[in-house]
Coordinates of all heavy atoms in Angstrom, one line a residue:
I117 N -12.9 24.5 -0.9 CA -12.0 24.2 -2.0 C -12.9 23.4 -3.1 O -12.7 23.6 -4.2 CB -10.8 23.3 -1.5 CG1 -9.9 24.2 -0.7 CG2 -10.1 22.6 -2.7 CD1 -8.8 23.4 0.0
L165 N -9.0 4.1 -5.7 CA -9.8 5.4 -5.9 C -10.7 5.1 -7.1 O -10.3 4.6 -8.2 CB -8.9 6.5 -6.3 CG -9.6 7.9 -6.6 CD1 -10.3 8.4 -5.4 CD2 -8.5 8.9 -7.0
S192 N 2.2 -11.6 0.0 CA 0.8 -11.3 -0.4 C 0.3 -9.9 -0.5 O -0.6 -9.7 -1.2 CB -0.2 -12.3 0.4 OG -0.2 -11.9 1.7
K249 N 5.4 32.3 13.8 CA 4.2 31.3 14.2 C 5.1 29.9 14.3 O 5.8 29.5 13.5 CB 3.1 31.2 13.2 CG 2.1 30.2 13.7 CD 0.9 30.3 12.7 CE -0.3 29.4 13.2 NZ -0.9 29.7 14.5
E260 N -1.8 -2.4 22.3 CA -2.2 -3.4 23.3 C -1.5 -4.7 23.2 O -1.3 -5.5 24.1 CB -3.8 -3.7 23.2 CG -4.2 -4.4 21.8 CD -5.5 -4.9 21.8 OE1 -6.0 -5.6 22.7 OE2 -6.3 -4.4 20.9
P307 N -0.9 -33.2 -4.7 CA 0.1 -34.3 -5.1 C -0.7 -35.4 -5.9 O -1.9 -35.6 -5.7 CB 0.6 -35.0 -3.8 CG -0.4 -34.5 -2.8 CD -1.0 -33.2 -3.3
E354 N 10.8 3.4 12.5 CA 11.5 4.7 12.8 C 11.1 5.7 11.5 O 11.5 5.3 10.4 CB 12.9 4.6 13.1 CG 13.5 5.9 13.7 CD 15.0 5.8 14.1 OE1 15.5 4.7 13.8 OE2 15.6 6.7 14.7
R355 N 10.5 6.7 11.7 CA 10.2 7.7 10.7 C 10.7 9.1 11.1 O 10.4 9.6 12.1 CB 8.7 7.7 10.5 CG 8.2 8.6 9.4 CD 6.7 8.7 9.4 NE 5.9 7.6 8.9 CZ 5.2 6.9 9.6 NH1 5.1 7.1 11.0 NH2 4.5 5.8 9.2
R365 N 8.7 37.3 -2.4 CA 7.9 38.2 -3.3 C 8.5 39.4 -3.5 O 8.3 40.5 -2.9 CB 6.5 38.3 -2.6 CG 5.4 38.9 -3.6 CD 4.0 38.9 -2.9 NE 3.5 37.6 -2.8 CZ 2.7 37.2 -1.8 NH1 2.6 38.1 -0.7 NH2 2.1 36.0 -1.7
T461 N 9.3 26.7 -7.4 CA 7.9 27.1 -8.2 C 7.8 28.6 -8.3 O 8.3 29.4 -7.3 CB 6.8 26.6 -7.3 OG1 6.7 25.2 -7.1 CG2 5.5 26.9 -8.0
D468 N -1.7 42.8 -16.3 CA -2.9 42.6 -15.8 C -3.6 41.3 -16.3 O -4.5 40.7 -15.6 CB -3.9 43.8 -15.8 CG -3.4 45.0 -15.1 OD1 -2.6 44.7 -14.1 OD2 -3.8 46.1 -15.4
Y576 N 21.1 -15.7 -1.6 CA 22.3 -16.7 -1.3 C 21.7 -17.8 -0.6 O 21.6 -17.8 0.7 CB 23.3 -15.9 -0.5 CG 24.7 -16.5 -0.6 CD1 25.2 -17.3 -1.7 CD2 25.7 -16.3 0.4 CE1 26.5 -17.8 -1.8 CE2 26.9 -16.8 0.4 CZ 27.3 -17.5 -0.7 OH 28.6 -18.0 -0.7
A634 N 30.2 -19.3 -4.9 CA 29.9 -18.0 -5.4 C 28.3 -17.7 -5.4 O 27.7 -18.7 -5.6 CB 30.5 -17.8 -6.8
Q636 N 24.9 -17.0 -6.8 CA 24.5 -17.5 -8.1 C 23.2 -16.7 -8.4 O 22.9 -16.3 -9.6 CB 24.2 -18.9 -8.2 CG 25.5 -19.8 -8.1 CD 25.3 -21.2 -8.2 OE1 24.0 -21.6 -8.3 NE2 26.2 -22.1 -8.1
D656 N -10.7 28.5 -20.3 CA -11.6 28.6 -19.2 C -12.6 29.7 -19.3 O -12.3 30.8 -19.9 CB -10.6 28.8 -18.0 CG -9.8 27.8 -17.7 OD1 -8.8 27.4 -18.5 OD2 -9.9 27.1 -16.5
A738 N 9.9 -3.9 -17.7 CA 11.3 -4.3 -17.5 C 11.8 -5.3 -18.5 O 11.1 -6.2 -18.8 CB 11.5 -4.8 -16.0
S798 N -0.5 -11.3 -21.7 CA 0.7 -11.9 -22.2 C 0.5 -12.6 -23.4 O -0.6 -13.1 -23.8 CB 1.1 -13.1 -21.1 OG 2.4 -13.7 -21.5
G810 N 14.2 -9.1 -29.2 CA 14.8 -8.1 -28.3 C 15.8 -8.8 -27.3 O 16.4 -8.0 -26.4
I834 N -3.8 -5.9 -24.8 CA -4.9 -6.7 -25.4 C -6.1 -6.0 -25.8 O -6.3 -4.9 -25.3 CB -5.3 -7.8 -24.3 CG1 -5.8 -7.2 -23.1 CG2 -4.2 -8.7 -24.0 CD1 -6.3 -8.2 -22.0
Q848 N -22.2 16.2 4.9 CA -21.6 16.6 6.1 C -22.3 18.0 6.7 O -22.9 18.6 5.8 CB -20.2 16.9 5.8 CG -19.8 18.2 4.9 CD -18.4 18.4 4.8 OE1 -17.7 17.6 4.3 NE2 -18.0 19.7 4.9
F853 N -28.2 24.2 14.1 CA -29.7 24.7 14.1 C -30.3 24.1 15.4 O -31.4 24.4 15.7 CB -30.4 24.4 12.9 CG -30.3 23.0 12.5 CD1 -31.2 21.9 13.0 CD2 -29.4 22.6 11.6 CE1 -31.0 20.6 12.7 CE2 -29.2 21.2 11.2 CZ -30.1 20.2 11.7

Side-chain angles (χ1 to χ4, degrees):
I117 292 173
L165 179 60
S192 56
K249 184 174 178 62
E260 65 174 302
E354 188 175 9
R355 182 191 285 113
R365 191 178 288 143
T461 304
D468 292 341
Y576 201 27
Q636 297 176 1
D656 296 64
S798 183
I834 57 178
Q848 68 181 50
F853 54 82

